[in-house]
Amino acid sequence: MSKQRISWIDIAKSIGIAAIVLGHCSSGNLQCICFSFNSIIFFTLAGMTFCRKREETDAYLSFDSGRTLKVFLRDLFQTLGIPYLFWGIVSILIYALMGRLTVNALNMDQSHFEIGSNVISLIYGNSDTGYFEWNRPLWFLPCLFLVELLWFFILKTSQRFCKTRKQLWIVYASVMVLSAANMFFISYSKHKFVLAFEMETAISMMFFFGVGLLCRNDKFLGLIHKHLLSGKKALQYFYFAGGTGLAIVLSVANGLTDTRSDAYSNVFLYILNALCASFAVIFISRIINGNTILEYIGQRTMAILVMHKFPIMFIRVFFPFLDKKISEGNIICEIMIGMFTIGSCLAVEKIIRMIAPAVFGKGRRRSLKEI
């Protein structure tokens, strides 16, 4: 393990990516549960590790203000832009060549296989254009790109002009309130925006990214260690079970949601459920803190994200009886398909990484302080 890695962050990411894969190969309540938090946990974790200033110990939103916009954009393009463009082009070509042969099994319109329209949609960066069937999970990358860019400007500007911590609180709280308000507006106004780089979704996800930033506060973390992580293991697992149980109840009560499509159902339940689930994932990751297998998976979430659509589509096309099992809500079958999908992605990733590690955005976080 590299000293630059944070064990529990990698474990949390492994749980999150497993929920993403399982959400795409399941139905019914299991899909509701996975979709309710599987992308949000990544926005929260991204906020917790965003531009961390290693030498700082007083860590209220400890931000590397010395990082220039040029350096930030270069790193952001390397870690998010390159994987997005590369796997987008690869997916479009595979879809154009193989999709027409499986159009009946996939139940797709022939127009979705047009390379030109799909490339334009890739550049525009919004999965709701209707031309993103080649690899819809890639929506997350331009969305996170925009979220990080917006928060970079907010943090950079506020630390320049705000003279007191109270003023910083007001700025960050205002951003998060406006972000949450955007979720309510989209959900209840019935206006559907399809903006470049998933901007409509990015504005909403700034709330959860901000939660991750706030969770880096040393005082907050001190309270967590003192009251939750320093007790007996049985009590810690009790807290985890309580948070998990509440998240499950809320997700089932709220029904199927889809962050990608800004479908939040009841926004209050959506936010509460997402926070409960994210807390449960982060909490159990802190308790485990050191599982080699989960760390390995967590360090390769980019590879699983960009490639997991392919084995799932392979199963849907060539093993229709398994697709039927999924539609029937066979949980055992769904879990086995999820495990097969993750295993397949890890095997392919190991080969590709030796040849072209850049296509997985290698080297995103050069060094992180233990949070």
Side-chain angles (χ1 to χ4, degrees):
M1 284 292 297
S2 168
K3 293 182 180 180
Q4 296 180 352
R5 307 296 308 193
I6 302 175
S7 173
W8 70 266
I9 289 284
D10 285 333
I11 292 172
K13 289 170 65 178
S14 72
I15 297 173
I17 199 65
I20 286 178
V21 172
L22 198 55
H24 291 152
C25 60
S26 63
S27 62
N29 288 338
L30 183 58
Q31 189 177 52
C32 286
I33 295 168
C34 291
F35 272 29
S36 69
F37 78 95
N38 57 10
S39 58
I40 291 170
I41 183 62
F42 283 99
F43 286 108
T44 304
L45 292 173
M48 297 183 78
T49 57
F50 182 64
C51 290
R52 181 78 178 189
K53 197 170 185 178
R54 290 184 297 155
E55 63 271 19
E56 292 273 350
T57 55
D58 182 15
Y60 175 69
L61 294 182
S62 179
F63 178 67
D64 186 1
S65 57
R67 185 175 299 191
T68 65
L69 177 61
K70 180 180 178 180
V71 172
F72 178 75
L73 287 174
R74 182 198 64 196
D75 292 344
L76 205 58
F77 180 75
Q78 175 188 344
T79 56
L80 295 177
I82 291 177
Y84 172 71
L85 293 173
F86 176 84
W87 289 102
I89 294 297
V90 168
S91 301
I92 288 171
L93 293 177
I94 292 175
Y95 205 58
L97 294 173
M98 303 300 296
R100 297 180 189 278
L101 303 177
T102 58
V103 62
N104 292 328
L106 295 175
N107 193 29
M108 296 297 299
D109 189 277
Q110 287 283 354
S111 63
H112 287 281
F113 304 116
E114 297 175 0
I115 293 179
S117 300
N118 286 329
V119 170
I120 292 173
S121 181
L122 171 71
I123 296 171
Y124 191 69
N126 193 307
S127 60
D128 281 332
T129 56
Y131 289 92
F132 229 88
E133 297 301 319
W134 31 270
N135 202 339
R136 276 191 290 180
L138 293 184
W139 73 269
F140 176 79
L141 300 181
C143 186
L144 180 59
F145 187 106
L146 195 55
V147 169
E148 293 204 1
L149 184 61
L150 290 172
W151 267 110
F152 179 87
F153 282 119
I154 292 167
L155 293 170
K156 197 85 166 172
T157 303
S158 62
Q159 293 205 349
R160 180 178 179 182
F161 293 103
C162 295
K163 304 302 182 182
T164 65
R165 179 170 291 188
K166 182 178 179 180
Q167 291 175 335
L168 289 173
W169 269 105
I170 293 174
V171 171
Y172 303 141
S174 298
V175 171
M176 294 179 68
V177 168
L178 290 173
S179 175
N182 185 65
M183 283 187 262
F184 282 96
F185 176 78
I186 290 175
S187 185
Y188 297 114
S189 70
K190 306 303 180 183
H191 288 290
K192 179 57 184 173
F193 300 102
V194 184
L195 305 177
F197 296 101
E198 301 277 352
M199 181 178 288
E200 71 278 14
T201 305
I203 293 173
S204 297
M205 292 304 104
M206 288 178 72
F207 174 86
F208 298 105
F209 193 93
V211 169
L213 288 170
L214 293 171
C215 286
R216 289 156 53 154
N217 182 283
D218 279 352
K219 292 181 180 179
F220 173 80
L221 292 173
L223 291 174
I224 294 295
H225 278 279
K226 181 179 179 180
H227 297 289
L228 297 180
L229 293 172
S230 60
K232 295 181 179 179
K233 282 287 184 182
L235 190 59
Q236 294 176 13
Y237 284 115
F238 174 78
Y239 293 142
F240 165 71
T244 302
L246 180 58
I248 291 173
V249 170
L250 290 172
S251 62
V252 173
N254 198 29
L256 184 62
T257 58
D258 189 354
T259 302
R260 177 190 64 83
S261 297
D262 309 298
Y264 308 118
S265 191
N266 184 302
V267 180
F268 283 109
L269 290 180
Y270 175 82
I271 294 175
L272 182 59
N273 171 67
L275 293 176
C276 286
S278 296
F279 165 79
V281 170
I282 292 172
F283 190 66
I284 193 62
S285 301
R286 296 301 296 261
I287 296 174
I288 296 172
N289 197 35
N291 185 288
T292 305
I293 296 175
L294 293 179
E295 287 175 356
Y296 183 88
I297 295 173
Q299 293 168 24
R300 290 155 179 82
T301 52
M302 176 65 79
I304 298 172
L305 175 71
V306 299
M307 293 192 296
H308 76 273
K309 177 185 175 71
F310 302 126
I312 292 176
M313 288 296 101
F314 175 81
I315 290 172
R316 283 188 59 192
V317 172
F318 296 102
F319 299 93
F321 68 95
L322 292 178
D323 192 33
K324 184 179 179 181
K325 290 287 185 182
I326 293 175
S327 64
E328 294 172 352
N330 189 312
I331 295 179
I332 295 177
C333 180
E334 291 166 349
I335 292 175
M336 291 183 66
I337 293 174
M339 293 174 63
F340 167 78
T341 299
I342 293 174
S344 301
C345 292
L346 291 176
V348 175
E349 182 271 346
K350 193 164 187 176
I351 298 172
I352 296 177
R353 183 177 285 268
M354 291 187 295
I355 303 170
V359 303
F360 296 124
K362 185 178 179 180
R364 180 174 191 192
R365 303 281 192 255
R366 289 173 292 183
S367 185
L368 295 173
K369 175 185 173 183
E370 179 72 31
I371 296 177

